[in-house]
Amino acid sequence: MTPPALLRDTLIVAGVELGQSARTRLLQVTVLAYAAVIAAANWIFVQIVHVAETEAALALGVPPTAKPGAMLDTVVAGGEVRRAVAEMVGDASLAENLLSAPPLALWSGLVSMGLLPVVLLAATSASVAAEVQSGSIRYWALRTERLPIVLGKFLGQVAAVALAAALGLAVTAVCGATLMVRVPQAELFISGAEFAARGLCFALPFGALGMAISQVLPGPNVARLGAILLVLALAILDGVIEHFAAPGSWGQAADLAGLLLPGHGWTAMWQVDHGQFALALGRVAIVTTGWIALGFLRFSSRDL
């Protein structure tokens, strides 16, 4: 298959996959649940800020405001906020740079980067397996090759999860406009969109892992369970690799092996330096491609 034909068929499959996913109740519930979690997390953030601002106002001898936000700069200037962000992103100097963004956008981004891998893993792990079980995969197999089927389904599910991320961004914008004061809406939206995009990039290897499982296991429920078990196993493996990563040939080999795991590179995805972030995206692309290719080794010769 020529590259133009591969691209054309991949986009066709992706469009159909997105349309089919949008009509399923499971995706609708998942998207709404994601938005609800983002809303709840934002509400918790607002309450924390309100308590912190009230304490700051009492310490300064000024009356507290009904809505938080008026003294947010004073709260952020405190060392506790910086330490908390440094622990979340794993780097103190990086936290200083990230705190230039609206805190609500940063908080929402942290939550989305934790949620989106789970959502994308759940979506992709059943994508191919469900159609193999029902036999509808043969419709595509008669019209195109197997590679664009897999790539198209993966892109379709990524697009569906991107819609969930966009809805979460809208929820964050509404929370900033209604629950707080003095929130720069343009900066909130731009920074929130950037952090949501970073979260989606971080989720891609998890989606690829789900797609690999979906190409191997026979049904959607088994595939979802297999994906969960594999993620848990890889988390344990990551801990083992981190334990053995040390100077020396074996330690360096263990450190390199850790780069291939989906959950690796959390801090790198928050980098504000464009060069370092580009390297992080390159690792994401390699790991994502590798997991999809690993599953395709089985799917390419599988009896449909």
Side-chain angles (χ1 to χ4, degrees):
M1 176 176 282
T2 62
L6 174 62
L7 177 61
R8 180 199 64 214
D9 288 2
T10 297
L11 293 178
I12 291 173
V13 175
V16 174
E17 182 76 3
L18 176 60
Q20 290 178 341
S21 297
R23 291 190 295 271
T24 61
R25 188 173 299 277
L26 178 60
L27 179 67
Q28 296 168 3
V29 171
T30 301
V31 170
L32 292 176
Y34 173 82
V37 172
I38 292 291
N42 289 341
W43 184 84
I44 292 173
F45 173 82
V46 171
Q47 301 311 307
I48 293 173
V49 171
H50 186 54
V51 171
E53 286 192 357
T54 299
E55 292 179 354
L58 294 175
L60 295 173
V62 298
T65 58
K67 286 186 179 181
M71 300 183 65
L72 190 55
D73 291 340
T74 303
V75 173
V76 172
E80 292 183 4
V81 174
R82 282 175 164 77
R83 284 193 295 272
V85 174
E87 290 179 2
M88 289 179 183
V89 301
D91 189 292
S93 60
L94 180 58
E96 291 290 334
N97 293 324
L98 290 174
L99 283 171
S100 62
L104 181 60
L106 179 57
W107 173 265
S108 178
L110 286 165
V111 175
S112 66
M113 194 174 285
L115 288 178
L116 289 175
V118 178
V119 176
L120 189 56
L121 177 70
T124 57
S125 60
S127 180
V128 174
E131 293 211 27
V132 170
Q133 185 182 62
S134 67
S136 58
I137 193 75
R138 296 169 190 158
Y139 170 86
W140 289 115
L142 292 174
R143 288 161 176 78
T144 186
E145 297 182 6
R146 299 192 182 194
L147 181 57
I149 295 175
V150 172
L151 295 179
K153 285 187 167 295
F154 178 71
L155 290 179
Q157 293 297 336
V158 170
V161 174
L163 292 178
L167 181 58
L169 176 61
V171 168
T172 299
V174 171
C175 290
T178 59
L179 301 180
M180 301 182 71
V181 297
R182 298 185 185 178
V183 176
Q185 292 300 313
E187 292 182 29
L188 175 64
F189 185 83
I190 293 172
S191 297
E194 177 189 346
F195 293 142
R198 288 172 180 259
L200 187 61
C201 290
F202 181 71
L204 290 178
F206 289 88
L209 185 149
M211 184 59 66
I213 291 293
S214 191
Q215 294 178 79
V216 173
L217 297 183
N221 294 330
V222 175
R224 289 192 185 100
L225 178 59
I228 293 173
L229 294 176
L230 183 56
V231 167
L232 293 176
L234 290 177
I236 296 173
L237 179 60
D238 189 29
V240 173
I241 288 175
E242 186 176 352
H243 176 74
F244 285 101
S249 57
W250 285 106
Q252 292 176 357
D255 195 32
L256 289 174
L259 295 175
L260 302 177
L261 301 181
H264 193 86
W266 168 272
T267 300
M269 294 307 299
W270 289 102
Q271 290 294 335
V272 294
D273 179 81
H274 296 306
Q276 295 183 31
F277 184 62
L279 290 176
L281 289 181
R283 190 201 71 85
V284 165
I286 292 172
V287 175
T288 299
T289 303
W291 279 106
I292 293 176
L294 186 63
F296 190 73
L297 290 176
R298 172 71 179 98
F299 185 70
S300 61
S301 58
R302 188 176 178 180
D303 184 11
L304 302 181

